[in-house]
Amino acid sequence: MSAPDAPLPTAPARAPGPSLHGNDQQVVEKRSLRDYYVILRERLWIALPVALLVALSIGYYQAQEIPMYSSTATMQFERPERVVQNEQVVDTAVRSEVDLGTYLQILQSGRLRTMVAQSLTPDEIRLLQRPYLKDLAPGANPPAVGGLLGSMSPLSIRNSFLITITVNNRDPEGAALLANRFVEQFMRYLMENVGGKNEFAVDYLRSRAKELQQESEAAEGKLQDYRRKHNLVSLDNSMNIVGERLRTVNATLTTARLARLDIETLLSQIEKMQKENPANLLEIGYISAYGNIPVLKNNLAELNKQQAILSERYLERHPKMIELANSIDVVTAQITRNIEQSISDLRTQYVKLQDTEASYIKEYQAAEKDNLRLGDLSVDFKSLENQAQVAKSNYLEILNRLNQVTTSKNLENIPVKPLDRALPKGSPDTPNIRNIVKTSIGLGLVVFAGVAIGLSFLDDRVKSAWDIEGFIGAHLLGIIPELGDVPDTEKHSLVNSNRTSPGSEAFLSVYSAVKIQSKLDFPKSILVTSTIPGEGKTMISCNLAGSFARHGKKVLLIDCDMRRPMLHRHFKLTNEAGLIAWFEAGAKIPADPFTDASLGFTKVDENLFLLRSGGRSKSPTELLETAVFGQFIEAMKQHFDLIVVDSPPMGAVTDSLLIAERTDEVIYVCRFNRAYRKHIRLYIKQLKESKNELLGIVLNGLSPRRIEYYSNYRYYRSYKKYYGSQS
């Protein structure tokens, strides 16, 4: 064989410390970036859905936040150039960071917030209440003025005399309105707190304003008393409310009446069908979709189908037919009860709709009476409302005059001016879709990596060469690739077939590793076992024996799995002769085993002979525990260079431990992602306690990509490409 076609090299044997190879101390795996890449890739379809679910859930939750708009207004403080000498004038100029900090505290004070709330007009209040109306429950009132102001954040811009006022609100126009209003009320606060306020005109205007305020409040009080007496919000609003109430009740009454008529029609149809043909009740859509009826119909159809099939094989009194008939009766009875329950529920709904319709009729009559009553109250209400409006107008006029006088007197002492007015934004600041997407993606990646890596720490099954050499503490003899493309009839004779493939090269690599690890000369015996069924133990036994036979050794392959013998099937032989037949015939060691009919040695290939199990046995330990079995193995070494014993899995029965006492060396087979590391470690410890020489472990069933990442088999792809081009 040329150099490029050399057998696949085994994974380099690491020199484990004292904590490995047979002790029970905790072993910590050291992983590289490539190992973590493999972990993420192997658990892609588990971690990815979880990560997507978490990311989408968090993103959806954040996207459902109430939209909030922010708007910012800017003020500028200036240093006056003149020197204030009048002791009655308060110098409000900003001369230090302390002054600026004082103004920031004033902006956040409850007094300024109250001034802003009191300055809002009814139209502005309705503007601020607009976002809350669509989510308002029936009969509930929108938030009060104090709850409409949102959050206000003043901020001093570093190394300047600029202050920004940012307001967050559910309405973009409301946010801009409140930001500008905070600026205006802050300036008003400064004007009202500077000196020069003791003039006669200011005192007169304030006195008159107080009188007019009392008159306005008295007129408003009469109007409010009238409203409370007759339970009115305002005449127009009350009439609108009553009118809307009439329309709503009328629409609801119509809907209830139509629903009642629909159920009444459906009940008539059901009663008619009950009299004429009750079997057709399931044709009514309401009944067929009620409760468990759809599932029960499907179950009944499936049972009828099974009955039709079984009726061709069994008579009516057969137990299966009787059991099936009973099941059909039970399902039919359940359907009948569900039909009766659906009709009962429909009648209950009909009665409830009758009661609802009657209550709506009463509600409509009461609304008509309220509408007539409001018409009678309209004359007196309009008169009181006009008086209140005139008194309020007079008060606002004198109050405006007072503000003009105060402002003109003290305007020159105000050290602040608005710089930029707040403007409504076109899009909300929260929820911020871009930030939500970034957060969701970042969280998804963290969850993806966390789930994948977390599962890798929880999963104790064998997946890599490190699991074998590091954790279990055994030599890795080789890695057998997944042979899904190879027919089952060829898997057990790959090394002896004319077909060259990466699979045959892998078995030859195991052959080389066994020769290197073995400390015994020929003749000798090797036991091949595994943890659980289905790990490829028999296939590896056949190909290992074939590898030695191919290299000139005379090999005997023994099927010691007497509970489930398989070797005779792979070589297309019967199983009359073999170990069990020889044992039952007296178990005499033959001088020439090839002529012993009870043993039935069969030559299956050049230098390769097969000893079958000779039948099945539920208690093969009677044979395996006898001294003659060990004598037989030793006697066969006079006729063969190598004896390969295929045994049952150690995790299923104890046969392998009994066989191991009669053999010289042991090879353990482990299939990728099948058996648990702790179990393999325990069984290997038991084998070592029986004074057997453990050659190592063969890792079976890895895909080409896993071989590349989980081991040092770097040439696998080149073999695959080379032999693929040859074929």
Side-chain angles (χ1 to χ4, degrees):
M1 188 174 295
S2 59
D5 298 337
L8 292 173
T10 58
R14 304 177 186 176
S19 62
L20 305 178
H21 290 281
N23 62 12
D24 295 328
Q25 296 182 12
Q26 184 68 25
V27 180
V28 179
E29 180 175 0
K30 295 181 180 180
R31 289 173 171 157
S32 63
L33 290 177
R34 188 183 69 179
D35 296 326
Y36 285 107
Y37 166 73
V38 174
I39 289 172
L40 295 177
R41 190 193 62 200
E42 290 296 328
R43 292 163 180 81
L44 174 67
W45 300 114
I46 298 177
L48 184 60
V50 175
L52 287 176
L53 179 62
V54 173
L56 293 177
S57 300
I58 295 298
Y60 177 79
Y61 175 77
Q62 292 181 343
Q64 298 307 307
E65 290 186 46
I66 297 175
M68 296 294 292
Y69 297 82
S70 67
S71 193
T72 302
T74 307
M75 294 186 299
Q76 178 180 357
F77 291 89
E78 297 179 346
R79 288 181 179 272
E81 296 180 356
R82 63 183 179 83
V83 178
V84 179
Q85 296 179 348
N86 190 346
E87 295 181 357
Q88 295 181 351
V89 177
V90 179
D91 182 12
T92 58
V94 178
R95 301 191 178 277
S96 67
E97 291 292 335
V98 176
D99 298 334
L100 196 59
T102 302
Y103 288 131
L104 289 176
Q105 294 300 317
I106 294 173
L107 284 168
Q108 299 181 77
S109 64
R111 179 178 178 182
L112 187 64
R113 196 175 181 88
T114 302
M115 293 173 63
V116 171
Q118 294 174 350
S119 68
L120 296 174
T121 64
D123 291 337
E124 292 172 344
I125 293 175
R126 284 192 291 270
L127 172 66
L128 296 175
Q129 290 176 341
R130 183 171 58 186
Y132 298 89
L133 297 179
K134 60 181 180 180
D135 300 329
L136 205 61
N141 296 321
V145 178
L148 298 173
L149 299 183
S151 62
M152 188 275 293
S153 303
L155 178 64
S156 172
I157 300 178
R158 189 176 180 84
N159 297 326
S160 71
F161 289 106
L162 298 179
I163 291 181
T164 60
I165 295 179
T166 302
V167 174
N168 294 318
N169 195 271
R170 293 179 60 176
D171 188 273
E173 297 180 9
L177 168 67
L178 291 174
N180 294 324
R181 189 58 53 86
F182 269 100
V183 172
E184 295 169 2
Q185 294 304 309
F186 178 64
M187 294 181 63
R188 175 188 168 190
Y189 171 84
L190 294 179
M191 288 187 289
E192 290 180 352
N193 287 274
V194 298
K197 295 185 179 180
N198 297 323
E199 290 79 357
F200 173 78
V202 174
D203 292 340
Y204 170 76
L205 290 174
R206 285 185 174 174
S207 175
R208 183 58 180 158
K210 188 174 182 180
E211 294 175 0
L212 292 176
Q213 182 182 9
Q214 293 174 352
E215 294 178 3
S216 176
E217 290 174 352
E220 186 67 26
K222 292 180 180 178
L223 181 61
Q224 293 297 333
D225 291 340
Y226 190 83
R227 285 174 176 170
R228 281 192 293 269
K229 179 180 178 181
H230 298 284
N231 195 22
L232 298 174
V233 179
S234 71
L235 184 63
D236 293 337
N237 289 340
S238 298
M239 295 189 71
N240 290 336
I241 291 172
V242 172
E244 182 64 26
R245 178 181 166 196
L246 279 171
R247 290 190 293 271
T248 302
V249 173
N250 185 44
T252 309
L253 177 60
T254 303
T255 303
R257 183 176 287 118
L258 291 176
R260 178 184 59 79
L261 291 175
D262 289 341
I263 295 180
E264 186 175 349
T265 303
L266 184 57
L267 284 173
S268 300
Q269 181 183 1
I270 292 173
E271 292 173 355
K272 181 179 179 182
M273 192 168 291
Q274 284 179 327
K275 294 178 181 179
E276 296 176 356
N277 192 358
N280 293 335
L281 286 173
L282 289 175
E283 296 179 359
I284 299 176
Y286 168 78
I287 295 178
S288 64
Y290 179 83
N292 295 328
I293 290 180
V295 177
L296 294 172
K297 286 174 63 181
N298 293 334
N299 294 342
L300 182 60
E302 183 65 25
L303 292 173
N304 288 329
K305 182 179 178 181
Q306 294 179 13
Q307 188 182 43
I309 294 173
L310 293 177
S311 63
E312 297 178 359
R313 298 173 57 188
Y314 305 110
L315 296 177
E316 294 182 357
R317 303 304 299 172
H318 191 276
K320 290 187 177 181
M321 294 295 291
I322 294 174
E323 182 182 356
L324 197 57
N326 293 336
S327 300
I328 292 175
D329 293 341
V330 170
V331 174
T332 303
Q334 290 177 349
I335 292 176
T336 302
R337 286 195 297 271
N338 276 266
I339 292 175
E340 294 174 354
Q341 183 63 37
S342 66
I343 296 174
S344 176
D345 290 348
L346 193 62
R347 289 197 174 100
T348 302
Q349 294 179 25
Y350 180 73
V351 172
K352 289 182 178 179
L353 285 174
Q354 284 182 323
D355 296 340
T356 302
E357 184 179 357
S359 65
Y360 284 149
I361 292 174
K362 293 180 180 179
E363 180 69 18
Y364 186 80
Q365 293 173 350
E368 286 182 328
K369 292 180 180 178
D370 289 342
N371 194 30
L372 294 174
R373 181 179 65 86
L374 290 175
D376 297 336
L377 298 176
S378 61
V379 177
D380 295 338
F381 182 84
K382 288 291 185 182
S383 176
L384 292 174
E385 188 177 40
N386 290 334
Q387 294 176 13
Q389 289 178 351
V390 170
K392 185 177 181 180
S393 178
N394 293 334
Y395 168 67
L396 292 177
E397 183 177 355
I398 198 68
L399 186 63
N400 183 45
R401 178 60 180 165
L402 175 62
N403 290 335
Q404 290 177 359
V405 172
T406 305
T407 302
S408 61
K409 176 68 178 175
N410 302 302
L411 188 58
E412 60 181 8
N413 296 318
I414 303 302
V416 66
K417 66 177 181 180
L419 187 61
D420 293 320
R421 289 184 60 82
L423 298 175
K425 281 190 176 181
S427 59
D429 291 84
T430 57
N432 191 317
I433 301 301
R434 178 175 295 180
N435 290 340
I436 290 175
V437 171
K438 291 181 180 179
T439 303
S440 300
I441 292 175
L443 182 62
L445 292 175
V446 172
V447 172
F448 174 74
V451 170
I453 296 175
L455 290 177
S456 72
F457 284 106
L458 295 176
D459 193 355
D460 190 46
R461 291 174 291 188
V462 173
K463 290 187 175 63
S464 65
W466 185 94
D467 292 333
I468 293 173
E469 295 195 338
F471 185 88
I472 298 174
H475 295 289
L476 177 63
L477 295 176
I479 296 179
I480 307 301
E482 181 66 41
L483 301 176
D485 297 336
V486 180
D488 292 338
T489 56
E490 299 181 12
K491 288 182 179 179
H492 296 77
S493 57
L494 276 176
V495 295
N496 293 323
S497 65
N498 295 325
R499 174 181 175 182
T500 306
S501 67
S504 63
E505 294 297 330
F507 286 115
L508 291 175
S509 174
V510 174
Y511 159 77
S512 301
V514 170
K515 288 189 64 178
I516 294 172
Q517 295 295 333
S518 178
K519 300 177 182 178
L520 302 178
D521 294 330
F522 296 99
K524 60 184 177 181
S525 57
I526 297 177
L527 170 68
V528 181
T529 187
S530 64
T531 306
I532 57 177
E535 295 193 78
K537 162 182 57 62
T538 301
M539 177 187 68
I540 292 173
S541 300
C542 293
N543 284 281
L544 180 63
S547 299
F548 278 94
R550 178 177 175 181
H551 288 80
K553 299 297 181 183
K554 192 174 182 181
V555 183
L556 174 62
L557 179 60
I558 303 178
D559 190 352
C560 273
D561 191 351
M562 302 176 193
R563 302 175 191 266
R564 292 186 58 190
M566 298 295 293
L567 283 177
H568 65 282
R569 296 185 183 180
H570 298 309
F571 292 101
K572 300 180 180 179
L573 300 172
T574 60
N575 198 24
E576 290 82 7
L579 281 174
I580 296 177
W582 168 77
F583 183 73
E584 292 175 350
K588 295 181 180 180
I589 308 286
D592 185 5
F594 299 98
T595 60
D596 193 322
S598 61
L599 287 173
F601 277 38
T602 304
K603 186 177 182 179
V604 294
D605 208 334
E606 187 67 26
N607 295 327
L608 180 59
F609 292 82
L610 173 65
L611 175 57
R612 291 158 285 175
S613 65
R616 289 176 177 262
S617 175
K618 294 184 179 179
S619 57
T621 54
E622 296 177 2
L623 166 60
L624 300 177
E625 286 183 337
T626 59
V628 70
F629 176 70
Q631 296 169 4
F632 175 79
I633 296 294
E634 291 299 322
M636 291 304 103
K637 292 181 182 179
Q638 300 176 8
H639 304 278
F640 296 95
D641 299 317
L642 178 65
I643 300 172
V644 178
V645 182
D646 181 28
S647 68
M650 294 193 64
V653 291
T654 60
D655 299 358
S656 295
L657 287 175
L658 298 176
I659 300 171
E661 296 177 355
R662 317 296 186 187
T663 56
D664 301 319
E665 298 172 334
V666 178
I667 294 176
Y668 206 94
V669 178
C670 174
R671 189 170 183 85
F672 171 82
N673 202 25
R674 185 69 64 85
Y676 291 97
R677 300 186 303 181
K678 58 183 179 182
H679 295 162
I680 300 174
R681 193 177 182 184
L682 174 64
Y683 296 140
I684 286 181
K685 182 179 179 181
Q686 293 176 359
L687 289 172
K688 289 183 177 182
E689 290 175 352
S690 62
K691 307 303 180 182
N692 286 102
E693 180 68 27
L694 178 67
L695 296 179
I697 295 179
V698 177
L699 186 56
N700 181 34
L702 266 72
S703 66
R705 182 170 294 181
R706 286 182 179 134
I707 290 178
E708 178 182 356
Y709 284 101
Y710 281 120
S711 70
N712 293 323
Y713 283 67
R714 295 299 186 187
Y715 301 106
Y716 187 85
R717 284 192 173 181
S718 62
Y719 276 126
K720 184 177 180 182
K721 182 177 180 182
Y722 174 77
Y723 290 115
S725 63
Q726 292 288 337
S727 60

